[in-house]
Amino acid sequence: MESVFEPRRQVGALPFRRMPDGSFSIFLITSRESRRWVIPKGWPMKGRKPYEAAAREAYEEAGLVGHIGKRPLGFYFYDKRLKSRDSVLCQVKVFPLEVRKQLKDWPERGQREGQWFSPSDAADAVAEAGLSGIIRAACKREAAATG
């Protein structure tokens, strides 16, 4: 039997693009239920590596296609509400996704909104402190690597 305290594992993509001036933009989507700003994420997929599943979620939830990093940026925890009204603690492993293309049509189009944010606005927009920290750290790291 699964421990009540053992978090369920999920994978997520942090979609970003490099701007002409060298800065970054972060793409966030709204969750279907609570409409808060989140990253594309979901359950691991059989037969797919975690980063491949994260890239798939970005396509399904936001119509984003690009280069997914194989190494996670980190992970964060959040309470996922279930249809039963219960909630489970989830640990989301976050992979960087450099967006190359935004499709006109994708599976969950119309169910969510999406928007590009500056890194600091994206970090402020998400509710989870852990995710906010990952966004801030990732953008600092990238800026240092390219600066």
Side-chain angles (χ1 to χ4, degrees):
M1 178 166 139
E2 253 188 297
S3 156
V4 180
F5 304 109
E6 187 65 27
R8 306 277 304 271
R9 298 188 188 287
Q10 288 194 313
V11 295
L14 180 64
F16 73 94
R17 65 182 179 193
R18 203 177 303 258
M19 305 308 285
D21 68 0
S23 69
F24 292 91
S25 285
I26 304 287
F27 195 81
L28 298 177
I29 57 172
T30 54
S31 68
R32 281 196 288 215
E33 306 298 318
S34 60
R35 311 305 285 174
R36 47 196 182 86
W37 290 108
V38 297
I39 59 170
K41 63 183 176 306
W43 304 110
M45 298 175 189
K46 219 175 186 50
R48 287 197 180 165
K49 293 184 168 44
Y51 61 88
E52 293 169 337
R56 178 75 196 178
E57 291 295 341
Y59 158 70
E60 289 179 3
E61 296 183 0
L64 301 175
V65 180
H67 177 75
I68 189 89
K70 292 185 169 82
R71 290 184 50 198
L73 295 167
F75 59 86
Y76 70 96
F77 294 93
Y78 82 105
D79 282 315
K80 177 176 180 61
R81 280 217 179 294
L82 302 173
K83 290 192 171 54
S84 64
R85 295 251 182 257
D86 290 337
S87 68
V88 292
L89 182 65
C90 291
Q91 179 191 49
V92 184
K93 198 180 274 189
V94 180
F95 296 88
L97 175 72
E98 186 162 9
V99 177
R100 302 268 160 85
K101 203 160 68 178
Q102 216 169 344
L103 303 174
K104 299 247 185 297
D105 204 19
W106 62 92
E108 294 185 22
R109 184 171 172 230
Q111 298 176 31
R112 307 168 182 275
E113 291 167 55
Q115 190 180 313
W116 289 100
F117 289 84
S118 73
S120 62
D121 288 348
D124 290 342
V126 298
E128 295 82 11
L131 177 55
S132 179
I134 287 172
I135 293 170
R136 290 183 204 282
C139 293
K140 274 200 195 80
R141 239 188 343 257
E142 280 295 326
T146 57

